[in-house]
Amino acid sequence: MFVSLNWLKNYIDIENISTEDLAERITKTGIEVEGIEYIAEQSTNVVVGYVKKCEQHPNADKLNLCQVDVGDEELQIICGAPNIAQGQKVAVAKPGAVLPGNFKIKKAKLRGVESNGMICSLQELGIEEKFVPKDVAEGIFVFPNDAEVGADALQLLNLDDAIIELGLTPNRSDALSMLGVAYEVAAILDVPIRFPEENVKTAEEQAVDYVSVKVEDSDANPYYGAFVVKDIEIGPSPLWMRNYLIAAGIRPINNVVDITNYVLLEYGQPLHAFDFDKFGSKEIVVRRAQQDEKIQTLDDQERTLSSEHLVITNGQEPTAIAGVMGGAESEVSEQTTTVLLEAAYFDPKVVRIGSKDHGLRSESSIRFEKGVDPNRVKSAGMRACQLLSQYANGTVLSGVAEFDELDKEEKTVEFSSSRINARLGTAISNDEMADILRKLNINYKLNGDTFTVHVPTRRQDITIFEDMLEEIARIYGYDNLPYTLPQGASQAGGLTDLQQLKRDIKQYFESAGLMESITYSLTSQARSQLLVSPEVKEKAVTPVALSMPMSEEHSTLRLSMLPELLDSLAYNTARKQSNLAYYELGTIFLSEQEQVTKQPEEKLRAAGALTGDWITHPWQQEKRQVDFYLVKGILQGLFETLNVTAEYKQTKIDGMHPGRTAQILVGGTSIGFLGQVHPKLQKDFDLKDTYVFDLDLDYLFEIHKNEPSFAKIPRYPSVSRDIALVVEEAVHAGDVQATIQQAGGELVKDVQVFDVYQGEHLEDGKKSIAFNLLYLDPERTLKDEEVEESYQAILYAVKDAHDAELRG
Amino acid sequence: MKERLLELQTEALAKVEEASTLKDLQDIRVAYLGKKGPITEVLRGMGKLSKEERPVIGELANKVREAIASELDNKKEHLEAIELEKKLEAETIDVTLPGRPVQVGGPHLLTSIVEEIEDLFIGMGFEVREGPEVETDYYNFEALNLPKDHPARDMQDSFYITEELLMRTHTSPVQARTMGEYQGSQPVKMICPGKVYRRDTDDATHSHQFTQVEGLYVDKDVRMSDLKGVLNRFAKQLFGEEREIRLRPSFFPFTEPSVEMDISCKVCHGHGCSVCKGTGWIEILGGGMVHPRVLEMAGYDSNEYSGFAFGMGPERIAMLKYGVDDIRHFYTNDVRFLTQYHKAK
């Protein structure tokens, strides 16, 4: 809502406060001022001039040489506007004047002739093209004849105005009118309000003689009033009215249309003017539209209607979509002499549907959608009649043809001052509260400390105690509320074990050298199929999709964070940042339903993606690229932190390198995978070798048990033994290790691979794996024979299970 | 004999003086103090001496030995020190060469901000709650006093999956869930951080996915001044003791009265500058007193219980705190962005 302060001054006195202070106070009291605009802040020295003489420029066809009386002197000015003519009163920027854009007017010579100033168009004076009335859009602005020569043109054009833009929250539709803003500002400044003139001398003829009103759906249209004004003379509306409309962002058209718009802005009540002679009948019937019924609207579009829409008809055909837009057929034109003026209350929902279905959001529909003041509908009609009589020479017929089932009663809300104070943490006295209500122009009765408030119908947002609490609090001033801390029993806040664990996991990854990243949960349909972990794939029938995505790119809920993580890597490598190690903790969305009807299961997972060099500063050491075992090492550390034992199984996953991917299992349950991204997919993302992992954290957290206790530090020495075994290339080290562990017996506390060799001195197709074994008995010193016995058992077992030979 | 011994001493000490290596010293030691050395030889001839002379010469011989041995030790220590010095000199390295780097990761800026906020409220006795990102229409809207045809639903166009399921548009449903769980049986003191989604085209100031932290405090006799006090403490801790807050009336369907909270501008301290667009204040969060309908729907008697709620966007806070100029930075994961916030604070 744009509020012209000059206009507002008609209702309340705001002379004693600066625009900035006023804006600040409005903001702090309840409605955010989003901006202040001074239309012609920099303009000076523009006056009304009388064109005494206007002749063609001796040296230019399209220029005119004018003699202009500006009061204290006569200026010779050259003007190129096509509409300039002798006898006009025009806006003259005198030499030394400054126009918007810091445009300075100086004496000049145009084609050899002196020009001492400029005759201005509205655009040149700083008014936006779209608000300039069409008749003066192509040339200079012409003042009405009564404009005084030499007067300040900026003031006459209201260009000395300041416009404040109010950002209205949905509850404050009462401020969608100048009167509403006046009430608000009056409460803030504690000043009285001057109300507009609604009384008008009416003719003897009655409106009901001209037209009847019938409403078929009283829920959708509880009030419909039709006023009739005849003998209308269509013409421009008065300059002040045009100025105000422009300030509010509405383009002036003619007096009748301008008056309906002016009252809309003044009262917040939309009105519609029909040309009575073109209305097509003498009866107004408001009804639901029929299926596929058509109407040509004011904007010359044909609209197809349905029973969802409410229409105004002449008994036969629709003449307007209620509250949304009028029909072209009955539009007011230059020829109109009798106006049928509609002042109605339409149900907010009905208007919302009508405006949404036809893509028409207008100043009218916005107000109907929020619910207009039931007690201002008819008076707005009367105000418009008064203006039509005054500014369009109309004769107003007496009375109104109406249908009225509108509830106009003021609701009551009761509250005690003690409850208000208890809720606010204040000690506001009854007198102070009463004073606040008086400032708000709200009537009340006080009984003891109980206020019974009659809520004005303009404030549709006030219905319950808490609404009054807000009114009292905001006028009292939020700044005046004390700072307190809650008095309730204090409790120890904190993270749950799982939340703490999540933080620990993050910290682990970060100290292991990975950076946390955050990607979008919504991905593309195609990407949602990629790099899905086996245990997820098994459960998720189809990825969950949005019903109306904004783009295919973000249309589907992810089953893995990896595709978007790869995208992040690609984003970086495209910017020459090629050594990257990322992880993310986030949710994936699992649904076992083909057609989703219930919330998908949300699983917390940890994913990572690494590419490029791991060790990048090679002056002393070799450069090392990220590889499978680096990533596996990081995960091993994680599992150790979580105190779980993981197994790794060669596996194949869509989008992964078939030979370099391992499924990870804990106690036989799949919890994720790691490995290299398939070179084809790497190429799709323009990535070099990239390694990823994806883990089910929810499951890991569930099985994770770590209750640290003290284990005695062994007092006896351990014995270390190395063993190098030659096996077929295809034999997995992990399997051999498991055999060793099992065959070695209880004394073997640890088995580690420390070397893998292939090549010289070994048969083709064979490899040697060297293990280090750690023997320990915490209770005593081991005997050589025991160790040897276990060693031999191991040799026997690996020979048996893997055809392994001791390397000679 | 006496003369011979003293002669030997002078001779040996002169040699020690001249010696320049440890080996020289060893040779001198063997030559003079060894079993075949001249002093031993002198002592061997002691048999020829008188009973009275023997102890005198014996004592002298020992003194000579000790004098030579002591000088040898001194010289040895001296030479060793020189040698060590030489060795260390040879070991000198270029200390200006870079160290072997340790690969260090770090948290995402949003996580840091969220955890900072979490810790702040935990310190005030709040618990941290989480909830699903795919929400039911009921919890996302209806339980928060936003029935199906409520105009305020326009304010946050949503990503629907079905008519009843959508990507949550705020983390407020977690409040409704938590209260619903307790059914009016106990006070609630919680914050809920998480991802939220809205139908916005991604640009410098909009993101279809962003983060929110909401807070809720419900108990008997909770006052609006408590909201002001708690937010004030939060703002000062997060942004600095010198910052002031102010509350302005606003509107949210789930609170009444509703407020927006501004903090005084860091740059101009409330006087107005380009950072705060001349107002002196910067909007940080929204909140208010929990709407009685929201309490009632979750099983709390709104005559007995009252409470406050607030919600903030960590992206916005990060943008204000660090001057991040584009919300998309939080989701493109540009390494040059991420690493800026890995340093200890």
Side-chain angles (χ1 to χ4, degrees):
Chain A
M1 173 91 184
F2 294 98
V3 177
S4 148
L5 292 189
N6 281 349
W7 188 352
L8 191 63
K9 284 173 193 162
N10 291 319
Y11 314 108
I12 47 172
D13 289 330
I14 48 174
E15 271 75 17
N16 294 331
I17 182 166
S18 75
T19 303
E20 287 74 18
D21 286 350
L22 179 64
E24 164 94 8
R25 290 189 65 181
I26 293 174
T27 294
K28 278 170 74 172
T29 316
I31 300 173
E32 190 175 354
V33 173
E34 292 181 336
I36 304 173
E37 194 201 346
Y38 302 91
I39 305 184
E41 196 175 8
Q42 299 158 337
S43 305
T44 54
N45 234 348
V46 185
V47 297
V48 177
Y50 176 68
V51 184
K52 286 175 76 175
K53 225 162 106 186
C54 178
E55 310 164 331
Q56 200 185 318
H57 187 292
N59 307 323
D61 287 352
K62 291 191 172 161
L63 296 179
N64 290 297
L65 186 59
C66 308
Q67 303 302 326
V68 186
D69 176 5
V70 293
D72 51 353
E73 59 183 323
E74 193 172 307
L75 297 172
Q76 172 172 292
I77 300 173
I78 293 172
C79 176
N83 63 335
I84 180 91
Q86 189 177 322
Q88 283 174 337
K89 286 187 175 166
V90 295
V92 178
K94 299 206 284 191
V98 181
L99 297 184
N102 204 19
F103 177 47
K104 295 188 180 81
I105 303 299
K106 294 176 204 147
K107 289 187 181 178
K109 267 192 177 175
L110 285 172
R111 298 243 175 158
V113 181
E114 197 169 287
S115 180
N116 298 318
M118 184 168 99
I119 301 177
C120 304
S121 68
L122 287 181
Q123 292 93 319
E124 281 158 347
L125 292 171
I127 292 177
E128 269 187 76
E129 180 84 40
K130 63 179 174 186
F131 301 135
V132 173
K134 282 195 174 136
D135 55 334
V136 291
E138 298 299 325
I140 51 153
F141 177 75
V142 183
F143 283 102
N145 270 332
D146 56 3
E148 193 187 322
V149 172
D152 183 347
L154 296 171
Q155 202 177 349
L156 275 179
L157 286 167
N158 196 43
L159 295 179
D160 59 340
D161 202 358
I163 314 289
I164 59 174
E165 186 184 356
L166 300 180
L168 294 176
T169 49
N171 59 325
R172 293 305 305 274
S173 56
D174 62 292
L176 276 170
S177 65
M178 293 305 293
L179 278 176
V181 175
Y183 273 110
E184 179 74 9
V185 176
I188 297 168
L189 302 181
D190 195 10
V191 293
I193 302 173
R194 290 183 291 274
F195 293 94
E197 181 60 56
E198 288 166 10
N199 290 327
V200 59
K201 225 183 102 192
T202 52
E204 285 201 1
E205 270 183 299
Q206 304 250 333
V208 289
D209 299 337
Y210 274 61
V211 70
S212 68
V213 173
K214 187 174 152 198
V215 173
E216 291 184 1
D217 186 340
S218 62
D219 287 337
N221 181 201
Y223 181 84
Y224 195 100
F227 296 85
V228 179
V229 185
K230 60 177 196 177
D231 308 330
I232 292 274
E233 287 169 24
I234 301 283
S237 56
L239 184 57
W240 60 264
M241 187 181 287
R242 278 184 283 169
N243 292 338
Y244 288 166
L245 290 178
I246 289 171
I250 291 180
R251 182 183 214 149
I253 310 284
N254 62 41
N255 48 6
V256 173
V257 176
D258 291 357
I259 285 167
T260 57
N261 282 332
Y262 179 80
V263 177
L264 167 122
L265 292 171
E266 189 176 44
Y267 281 64
Q269 169 64 42
L271 302 171
H272 184 68
F274 297 100
D275 184 327
F276 179 75
D277 298 320
K278 290 193 277 182
F279 190 71
S281 81
K282 289 189 145 194
E283 61 167 351
I284 295 169
V285 178
V286 185
R287 61 163 166 84
R288 293 280 176 171
Q290 288 146 16
Q291 196 63 37
D292 294 329
E293 201 171 2
K294 304 252 189 313
I295 180 174
Q296 182 97 4
T297 42
L298 278 174
D299 54 357
D300 291 324
Q301 302 275 315
E302 189 179 75
R303 312 272 177 184
T304 306
L305 305 165
S306 79
S307 63
E308 294 272 295
H309 309 130
L310 191 72
V311 286
I312 318 302
T313 72
N314 55 17
Q316 301 292 319
E317 288 170 343
T319 55
I321 306 173
V324 180
M325 196 178 255
E329 189 72 20
S330 53
E331 185 182 0
V332 168
S333 70
E334 299 285 317
Q335 285 73 43
T336 301
T337 55
T338 304
V339 163
L340 183 61
L341 185 77
E342 163 196 295
Y345 185 100
F346 298 116
D347 179 66
K349 273 182 218 167
V350 172
V351 176
R352 194 179 314 138
I353 292 167
S355 115
K356 205 173 146 196
D357 287 359
H358 298 109
L360 286 171
R361 263 177 83 77
S362 60
E363 295 286 345
S364 294
S365 69
I366 287 168
R367 286 169 176 80
F368 280 126
E369 280 176 33
K370 309 275 186 199
V372 295
D373 178 358
N375 279 312
R376 234 184 252 166
V377 183
K378 198 168 167 179
S379 50
M382 288 162 65
R383 169 69 168 157
C385 288
Q386 187 270 327
L387 292 169
L388 285 170
S389 135
Q390 195 171 351
Y391 297 105
N393 271 330
T395 306
V396 181
L397 304 196
S398 63
V400 56
E402 65 182 353
F403 170 86
D404 187 0
E405 283 185 10
L406 184 58
D407 178 8
K408 293 182 275 288
E409 204 176 319
E410 291 187 338
K411 307 283 180 294
T412 57
V413 173
E414 220 178 66
F415 62 84
S416 68
S417 50
S418 56
R419 190 161 175 225
I420 296 266
N421 281 322
R423 195 57 67 79
L424 294 179
T426 49
I428 307 173
S429 69
N430 282 357
D431 285 351
E432 278 177 282
M433 277 191 209
D435 202 45
I436 288 171
L437 294 173
R438 181 191 57 74
K439 287 181 191 169
L440 284 164
N441 268 287
I442 292 178
N443 294 325
Y444 64 90
K445 280 199 194 96
L446 178 60
N447 189 355
D449 81 338
T450 301
F451 286 85
T452 305
V453 158
H454 295 269
V455 182
T457 51
R458 65 174 184 275
R459 292 299 305 272
Q460 306 261 317
D461 57 315
I462 301 176
T463 57
I464 55 174
F465 163 76
E466 282 73 11
D467 297 324
M468 277 317 301
L469 182 71
E470 179 167 38
E471 291 303 304
I472 303 276
R474 71 187 187 91
I475 301 297
Y476 178 70
Y478 283 8
D479 281 352
N480 297 323
L481 295 179
Y483 295 94
T484 59
L485 286 176
Q487 304 156 305
S490 66
Q491 74 188 52
L495 294 175
T496 62
D497 290 350
L498 281 184
Q499 286 163 348
Q500 186 57 51
L501 194 55
K502 215 161 105 181
R503 285 200 186 180
D504 292 347
I505 297 298
K506 284 182 180 169
Q507 206 159 39
Y508 168 78
F509 279 128
E510 284 153 24
S511 53
L514 305 189
M515 268 174 222
E516 190 192 13
S517 55
I518 298 178
T519 59
Y520 293 132
S521 312
L522 295 169
T523 187
S524 69
Q525 164 73 23
R527 279 187 184 174
S528 73
Q529 313 283 347
L530 291 173
L531 306 172
V532 179
S533 192
E535 74 281 1
V536 174
K537 191 142 207 162
E538 198 181 302
K539 272 194 173 174
V541 177
T542 41
V544 179
L546 299 180
S547 68
M548 282 198 313
M550 291 176 76
S551 67
E552 165 52 26
E553 217 185 331
H554 304 302
S555 62
T556 311
L557 278 69
R558 65 185 173 192
L559 289 173
S560 163
M561 287 173 270
L562 291 174
E564 294 296 324
L565 269 176
L566 292 186
D567 202 49
S568 289
L569 298 191
Y571 178 92
N572 280 286
T573 49
R575 284 156 183 80
K576 305 271 179 263
Q577 303 289 328
S578 46
N579 305 319
L580 304 157
Y582 282 1
Y583 84 94
E584 178 170 4
L585 253 57
T587 317
I588 63 151
F589 305 85
L590 261 172
S591 174
E592 295 182 52
Q593 296 176 296
E594 197 94 47
Q595 284 294 324
V596 179
T597 58
K598 50 178 202 242
Q599 282 166 286
E601 195 184 342
E602 295 184 19
K603 286 280 209 180
L604 179 68
R605 294 185 76 90
L610 299 85
T611 189
D613 294 335
W614 181 251
I615 292 169
T616 52
H617 291 257
W619 74 269
Q620 203 191 19
Q621 53 194 334
E622 269 180 57
K623 247 189 180 186
R624 251 182 57 203
Q625 289 201 329
V626 166
D627 66 12
F628 181 92
Y629 298 106
L630 172 83
V631 178
K632 186 172 175 183
I634 292 172
L635 296 190
Q636 282 175 332
L638 173 73
F639 297 142
E640 214 162 290
T641 304
L642 287 171
N643 203 22
V644 298
T645 312
E647 296 156 65
Y648 303 82
K649 211 173 83 184
Q650 195 97 32
T651 194
K652 290 186 172 44
I653 288 168
D654 282 350
M656 293 296 289
H657 189 304
R660 296 184 175 177
T661 301
Q663 183 177 6
I664 308 171
L665 302 109
V666 173
T669 303
S670 175
I671 60 148
F673 69 97
L674 85 150
Q676 187 186 343
V677 175
H678 198 291
K680 259 165 67 184
L681 189 59
Q682 288 177 173
K683 215 175 145 212
D684 289 348
F685 279 96
D686 235 343
L687 287 169
K688 297 212 175 103
D689 284 3
T690 300
Y691 289 84
V692 296
F693 66 85
D694 182 18
L695 300 174
D696 183 344
L697 273 194
D698 271 343
Y699 185 73
L700 279 170
F701 286 180
E702 193 185 307
I703 58 164
H704 147 85
K705 268 203 197 84
N706 195 9
E707 284 156 11
S709 61
F710 177 71
K712 270 191 190 156
I713 310 299
R715 288 162 57 200
Y716 300 92
S718 59
V719 176
S720 167
R721 277 286 179 99
D722 290 348
I723 181 170
L725 298 167
V726 178
V727 291
E728 291 289 329
E729 220 175 339
V731 171
H732 284 172
D735 297 339
V736 181
Q737 186 172 342
T739 308
I740 294 173
Q741 185 77 60
Q742 206 185 1
E746 268 186 31
L747 295 179
V748 177
K749 290 292 180 258
D750 193 23
V751 181
Q752 292 290 342
V753 176
F754 72 89
D755 188 40
V756 177
Y757 177 78
Q758 222 171 343
E760 225 183 317
H761 307 307
L762 277 182
E763 250 178 83
D764 270 359
K766 297 260 184 184
K767 65 180 173 189
S768 149
I769 312 171
F771 297 90
N772 176 264
L773 280 57
L774 190 80
Y775 288 93
L776 178 76
D777 187 327
E779 299 303 327
R780 61 195 173 83
T781 306
L782 285 168
K783 290 185 200 129
D784 279 352
E785 306 87 77
E786 288 177 297
V787 175
E788 186 56 28
E789 197 181 316
S790 152
Y791 190 76
Q792 289 306 327
I794 288 169
L795 283 183
Y796 180 80
V798 294
K799 168 78 184 159
D800 190 45
H802 310 290
D803 201 18
E805 298 285 354
L806 194 60
R807 189 172 171 195
Chain B
M1 272 181 112
K2 189 176 164 190
E3 288 75 23
R4 173 71 182 140
L5 280 171
L6 291 172
E7 196 178 301
L8 280 170
Q9 176 173 352
T10 313
E11 190 182 303
L13 290 181
K15 280 191 177 166
V16 170
E17 177 75 36
E18 272 167 41
S20 63
T21 67
L22 289 169
K23 186 170 177 307
D24 290 349
L25 290 180
Q26 186 56 28
D27 290 348
I28 295 166
R29 188 181 293 274
V30 172
Y32 286 87
L33 304 178
K35 285 180 181 160
K36 290 172 183 166
I39 296 173
T40 317
E41 208 171 296
V42 169
L43 291 174
R44 233 177 254 142
M46 284 230 299
K48 296 172 194 160
L49 294 177
S50 67
K51 230 180 181 181
E52 290 76 30
E53 269 181 322
R54 251 184 248 162
V56 178
I57 292 300
E59 200 190 329
L60 179 66
N62 278 335
K63 272 192 178 158
V64 170
R65 277 179 98 103
E66 268 166 33
I68 296 171
S70 154
E71 206 46 36
L72 275 168
D73 285 350
N74 284 345
K75 183 76 182 192
K76 188 180 172 209
E77 204 173 304
H78 177 68
L79 286 181
E80 270 173 351
I82 290 173
E83 218 150 282
L84 182 64
E85 211 166 293
K86 267 192 204 153
K87 184 167 169 265
L88 296 185
E89 183 75 26
E91 282 173 359
T92 302
I93 55 165
D94 180 353
V95 297
T96 66
L97 276 168
R100 217 166 286 153
V102 176
Q103 182 89 12
V104 210
H108 192 282
L109 173 58
L110 284 178
T111 303
S112 307
I113 297 266
V114 168
E115 288 185 358
E116 196 179 347
I117 296 170
E118 282 176 356
D119 293 344
L120 252 159
F121 281 101
I122 285 171
M124 289 191 252
F126 284 67
E127 56 174 341
V128 178
R129 283 275 181 153
E130 286 148 303
E133 291 172 37
V134 174
E135 257 303 353
T136 61
D137 188 86
Y138 177 78
Y139 279 114
N140 195 73
F141 290 126
E142 284 181 50
L144 298 166
N145 196 29
L146 276 149
K148 280 237 147 84
D149 56 359
H150 195 286
R153 282 204 188 191
D154 292 355
M155 288 164 77
Q156 36 198 16
D157 272 357
S158 337
F159 286 120
Y160 275 91
I161 292 162
T162 68
E163 266 187 27
E164 291 304 321
L165 293 177
L166 72 157
M167 305 305 292
R168 67 176 174 193
T169 56
H170 43 197
T171 55
S172 321
V174 185
Q175 305 182 357
R177 283 179 177 276
T178 307
M179 281 193 285
E181 200 179 296
Y182 295 157
Q183 279 299 316
S185 62
Q186 64 180 88
V188 185
K189 247 176 138 175
M190 54 159 281
I191 61 160
C192 41
K195 295 182 178 118
V196 300
Y197 306 83
R198 287 187 198 172
R199 286 184 76 88
D200 271 325
T201 304
D202 298 339
D203 62 23
T205 52
H206 296 84
S207 181
H208 75 276
Q209 174 182 324
F210 58 100
T211 321
Q212 222 180 33
V213 180
E214 300 238 349
L216 176 72
Y217 191 117
V218 174
D219 202 345
K220 288 170 187 167
D221 302 321
V222 177
R223 303 159 296 182
M224 195 162 164
S225 55
D226 297 336
L227 168 67
K228 200 173 165 184
V230 166
L231 290 182
N232 186 45
R233 204 164 136 183
F234 158 76
K236 283 186 185 302
Q237 284 192 41
L238 192 69
F239 292 99
E241 278 301 322
E242 73 287 0
R243 308 294 280 273
E244 299 295 327
I245 68 158
R246 75 166 184 189
L247 301 184
R248 283 183 286 110
S250 187
F251 172 77
F252 306 105
F254 25 91
T255 47
E256 185 72 36
S258 300
V259 304
E260 256 161 25
M261 185 189 94
D262 300 334
I263 57 164
S264 55
C265 177
K266 179 170 77 175
V267 179
C268 65
H269 303 289
H271 299 298
C273 67
S274 63
V275 173
C276 55
K277 290 181 196 141
T279 63
W281 298 93
I282 293 171
E283 189 181 322
I284 292 291
L285 57 79
M289 302 303 288
V290 182
H291 198 288
R293 271 198 282 277
V294 174
L295 288 171
E296 297 286 347
M297 272 186 279
Y300 281 79
D301 180 347
S302 67
N303 286 314
E304 196 181 344
Y305 280 94
S306 56
F308 60 78
F310 53 85
M312 65 191 100
E315 279 90 346
R316 182 173 168 75
I317 288 174
M319 290 169 99
L320 289 172
K321 221 176 151 174
Y322 300 107
V324 178
D325 62 355
D326 191 323
I327 197 168
R328 286 169 294 198
H329 284 315
F330 296 108
Y331 297 96
T332 44
N333 298 307
D334 190 318
V335 68
R336 295 164 299 179
F337 174 76
L338 296 178
T339 47
Q340 288 180 38
Y341 307 99
H342 288 174
K343 314 211 163 36
K345 272 186 282 216

